[in-house]
Amino acid sequence: MEKLKMGIVGAGIWGERHASIFNSHPLVEITAICDLNVSRAQAVADKFGIKDVYSDLHEMAKKCDCDAVSIVTPDYLHAEASIAMANAKKHILIEKPLATSRKDVFAILEAVEKNNVRTMVDLHNRWSPPFHTAKQALDEGKLGKPYSGYFRLNDVKWVATDMLSWTASSSILWFLGSHSLDTLAWMFGSDVERVYCASREGIMKGHGVDTTDIYLTTLEFKNGCVAQMENAWITPNGNPCLNDIKFTLLCTEGMVNIDASTHNLIQLTTEEKVSTPDILVQHYIEGEPKGFAFESIRSFLDRLIDGKPFLVSVEEAAKGSLALLAVMESAKTRMPVKVEY
């Protein structure tokens, strides 16, 4: 079978993760990588034997020998790369969110439809074992119908102050709220109709990062379900997990409770500290990338190869971005906002 030829736009930490997953797949070959920082792109290329290195994504779109491309740029830069690759007839995997403006959301959708390219957004919480198990129980009717929910998905301060160089150009809503909202809509089987949000600033600005600290959001869904959603990046750095994850789903005949914050199946204790290594999200076994954040990327490859539908559609991802824009508007006005699709 001829190998699927993949390209990568963005050679940062997560771009290198994409490369490791593509490299481990027996039916995939990485043929090109692009980054404005050519030396960074070249370093990834050297590590994984990638032939073509570009600094201009439009040149890559014209010249690269790729069937599909993953877009692993900062979230506010997704549109230009996605549209260029769609116009070059490349299938696309886009890191969440799809886009961060209404104009960009619809521009990407138009380019994807016009060029008939398959597109998936990496909303990888759908591959998380506890969440997927909860969804299976729902679909099998074991819990009755979903009624209300609560999802707290927060990051430690280090993510905003040190890990990301572009924090001030983004938002915790794009970085984690996209996962939260998508998970709730997936569980409820419904789109968000109206939102109300309150937010607070100060802690991150005190660290020299111009971004909102926390958003507390009420979501009303078209099927009547309601949910509370909390997203922040002000959790103390001493938290045993990078993320603080708590989820409750109340149904008509049962409920779901998920605490994925501590990885307490394993603790490593030294003379200095106790740590709880990540065994769910991203880890390696025999040098191979494992964990649900990697499994979603691998699923994109498998679905391109076998032609089956993606677990998350580009239309669902678009609705998620539009709902988050409504959340941001509500946080500014302190008024309920109806989501316009």
Side-chain angles (χ1 to χ4, degrees):
M1 185 177 187
E2 189 173 341
K3 287 191 174 183
L4 178 70
K5 295 177 180 178
M6 289 297 305
I8 303 168
V9 177
I13 295 173
W14 207 245
E16 186 171 341
R17 296 286 195 276
H18 279 237
S20 70
I21 296 159
F22 299 161
N23 190 62
S24 70
H25 198 293
L27 297 178
V28 173
E29 176 186 2
I30 317 170
T31 59
I33 187 166
C34 179
D35 198 287
L36 289 172
N37 185 332
V38 181
S39 61
R40 185 165 62 184
Q42 189 63 58
V44 177
D46 292 342
K47 183 174 181 178
F48 295 101
I50 304 171
K51 180 179 62 176
D52 296 327
V53 177
Y54 298 90
S55 62
D56 183 273
L57 66 91
H58 297 284
E59 182 185 5
M60 177 179 170
K62 287 180 182 179
K63 296 181 179 179
C64 75
D65 181 23
C66 302
D67 301 306
V69 174
S70 60
I71 309 300
V72 204
T73 63
D75 47 36
Y76 60 95
L77 298 175
H78 288 175
E80 182 181 2
S82 300
I83 293 167
M85 294 304 163
N87 288 337
K89 311 298 183 184
K90 314 294 184 187
H91 303 298
I92 315 166
L93 172 63
I94 306 170
E95 273 303 327
K96 52 78 191 169
L98 174 67
T100 60
S101 75
R102 187 176 184 86
K103 177 182 176 182
D104 285 350
V105 166
F106 286 104
I108 293 173
L109 290 178
E110 181 182 5
V112 165
E113 183 177 3
K114 180 180 70 175
N115 293 287
N116 194 30
V117 294
R118 300 194 65 192
T119 304
M120 189 185 102
V121 176
D122 186 15
L123 291 158
H124 56 229
N125 215 44
R126 296 198 187 200
W127 283 262
S128 171
F131 286 96
H132 203 89
T133 299
K135 177 62 173 172
Q136 287 177 323
L138 268 177
D139 290 345
E140 292 166 4
K142 296 179 179 178
L143 305 172
K145 294 181 179 180
Y147 199 80
S148 65
Y150 168 77
F151 197 172
R152 181 168 90 216
L153 180 54
N154 297 336
D155 264 338
V156 297
K157 295 174 184 175
W158 172 84
V159 171
T161 59
D162 293 79
M163 188 182 94
L164 300 179
S165 62
W166 39 271
T167 301
S169 298
S170 185
S171 164
I172 190 60
L173 282 176
W174 297 126
F175 198 66
L176 289 185
S178 53
H179 290 305
S180 305
L181 194 144
D182 178 70
T183 302
L184 287 163
W186 181 50
M187 292 286 181
F188 291 152
S190 182
D191 299 330
V192 181
E193 183 171 44
R194 184 168 49 237
V195 303
Y196 174 73
C197 181
S199 62
R200 191 172 182 189
E201 300 178 352
I203 294 176
M204 279 296 109
K205 288 186 176 179
H207 287 279
V209 182
D210 187 12
T211 190
T212 300
D213 293 335
I214 185 170
Y215 293 87
L216 297 173
T217 308
T218 298
L219 306 171
E220 296 180 80
F221 289 80
K222 290 184 177 181
N223 66 355
C225 291
V226 293
Q228 296 280 329
M229 187 173 82
E230 175 184 338
N231 299 113
W233 36 24
I234 53 173
T235 302
N237 287 329
N239 199 57
C241 181
L242 192 71
N243 305 123
D244 177 21
I245 309 171
K246 304 291 191 300
F247 178 84
T248 298
L249 183 68
L250 183 63
C251 303
T252 55
E253 299 173 36
M255 67 185 298
V256 175
N257 284 297
I258 296 173
D259 181 353
S261 295
T262 58
H263 307 309
N264 267 338
L265 283 171
I266 178 172
Q267 291 184 343
L268 300 181
T269 305
T270 68
E271 297 291 347
E272 290 78 30
K273 65 177 181 178
V274 175
S275 60
T276 55
D278 175 19
I279 56 170
L280 277 178
V281 185
Q282 48 174 322
H283 58 280
Y284 290 80
I285 297 175
E286 293 187 303
E288 299 291 325
K290 305 295 180 182
F292 70 81
F294 295 155
E295 191 58 38
S296 58
I297 300 168
R298 189 176 291 111
S299 177
F300 171 79
L301 303 173
D302 291 338
R303 298 296 78 80
L304 280 187
I305 291 167
D306 64 24
K308 294 179 182 179
F310 297 128
L311 183 55
V312 52
S313 71
V314 68
E315 291 80 13
E316 289 173 307
K319 289 177 179 179
S321 286
L322 295 174
L324 288 176
L325 287 167
V327 171
M328 291 178 179
E329 182 183 345
S330 177
K332 289 179 181 179
T333 63
R334 291 301 198 265
M335 296 292 291
V337 174
K338 183 176 181 180
V339 183
E340 298 293 337
Y341 293 112

